[in-house]
Amino acid sequence: MVEIREAEKKEEQWYCCPSCNKKLFPMWDNTRIEHMPYRCKACKHDIEVNVFPSRVNNLRTMI
């Protein structure tokens, strides 16, 4: 019997670059990030990432 992990059951959410809309990194429901500097490898845009469990910004849901 194959065991399916809990993370694989849920839809995967991604934080995306606000400039080029490229997926940057995956996130889970309980992800919390504050004031993380990040540079998009595609468009070289510098952003500050802020993600809170109750208010998730800038998501793309992977189907």
Side-chain angles (χ1 to χ4, degrees), residues 10-55:
K10 297 180 183 178
E11 292 182 28
E12 198 167 26
Q13 297 175 339
W14 290 81
Y15 191 88
C16 300
C17 175
S19 296
C20 68
N21 208 31
K22 182 183 183 298
K23 294 180 186 178
L24 299 179
F25 51 86
M27 297 187 313
W28 291 270
D29 292 339
N30 61 351
T31 300
R32 181 181 176 98
I33 302 171
E34 291 187 61
H35 309 292
M36 181 181 83
Y38 197 89
R39 174 172 275 181
C40 178
K41 293 177 184 176
C43 68
K44 307 297 187 223
H45 186 79
D46 290 325
I47 59 174
E48 180 180 311
V49 179
N50 291 296
V51 177
F52 301 97
S54 60
R55 186 190 76 203

